[in-house]
Amino acid sequence: MIITIASDHAGYDLRQIVKKHLIDKGYEVIDGGAQSADKPFSYVDAGIKVATDVTSGKADRGIAICGTGIGISVVVNKHKGIRCGLCCNEYMARMSRQHNDANVLAFGARVVGQALATAMVDAFMDEPFAGERHAVRVGQIGDIENELYK
C-alpha cells in the first residue's frame, strides 16, 4: 500500500516521525510539503499534494498534518473523491475508516503527541471499511459530490 504524507512547517517534525513509522511497518511513502520546521510552508499546498496523490491513484491513502489539522483537512476535503477525517484520538481514526471509508487522515502536530499520532495512524491503516449501512451513506456523499462537481 502506498501512503502519501504532507505537512506545513508546523507539522514537519511530527511528519518525519510518522513517515519513519510507516516505512518501518512496510508501507511505501510519498513524502511532501515543508522541507523544514523553520521555513514557512502553506498547509494549503501540503493539502493539495495529499489530495492530488490520492485522487490520481498515485497513493492509496493519505496523511495530512498542520498545526491543528483544521486548515489542512478543510483543503483536502475540497477535492472530489476525498473523505478526510480530522482526528484527535484512536477511536476517531478507527471510526473514520470503519464508518466513513476515509481515505485521508488529518491531525494537528500542536494537538497530538508522537505516541498518539502513530497510534492513530495504525488505527487508520488497520481498520477496514464496514460497508453495509455505512456504504449507503458513503454513497450519498458521492452523490452530493457528483451533483456539486459537474
Side-chain angles (χ1 to χ4, degrees):
M1 185 179 295
I2 301 170
I3 311 303
T4 183
I5 184 170
S7 72
D8 66 357
H9 56 284
Y12 176 81
D13 291 334
L14 187 55
R15 185 179 95 224
Q16 301 313 304
I17 291 162
V18 170
K19 179 175 69 172
K20 181 183 182 318
H21 179 75
L22 288 165
I23 291 168
D24 289 349
K25 291 221 159 220
Y27 294 102
E28 183 178 336
V29 176
I30 301 169
D31 187 33
Q35 296 302 305
S36 77
D38 301 322
K39 184 178 177 193
F41 190 92
S42 174
Y43 64 80
V44 174
D45 294 330
I48 291 169
K49 167 69 171 148
V50 170
T52 302
D53 284 352
V54 173
T55 58
S56 71
K58 188 175 177 181
D60 301 297
R61 292 192 195 155
I63 298 172
I65 309 169
C66 69
T68 63
I70 297 168
I72 202 164
S73 69
V74 170
V75 172
V76 175
N77 272 316
K78 295 292 184 188
H79 293 76
K80 183 177 180 182
I82 294 293
R83 289 174 308 282
C84 175
L86 171 57
C87 300
C88 57
N89 59 52
E90 285 179 71
Y91 180 76
M92 291 175 73
R94 184 169 286 106
M95 292 301 103
S96 75
R97 286 285 311 131
Q98 189 181 110
H99 289 189
N100 309 114
D101 199 18
N103 49 13
V104 177
L105 169 65
F107 52 86
R110 295 175 178 149
V111 178
V112 302
Q114 296 174 14
L116 181 53
T118 56
M120 288 190 309
V121 166
D122 288 345
F124 181 77
M125 298 308 299
D126 294 344
E127 190 69 30
F129 177 47
E132 299 180 12
R133 66 187 168 103
H134 305 292
V136 173
R137 295 178 187 129
V138 170
Q140 289 175 307
I141 294 168
D143 292 344
I144 292 167
E145 286 181 335
N146 289 334
E147 182 63 29
L148 295 175
Y149 289 92
K150 287 184 179 178

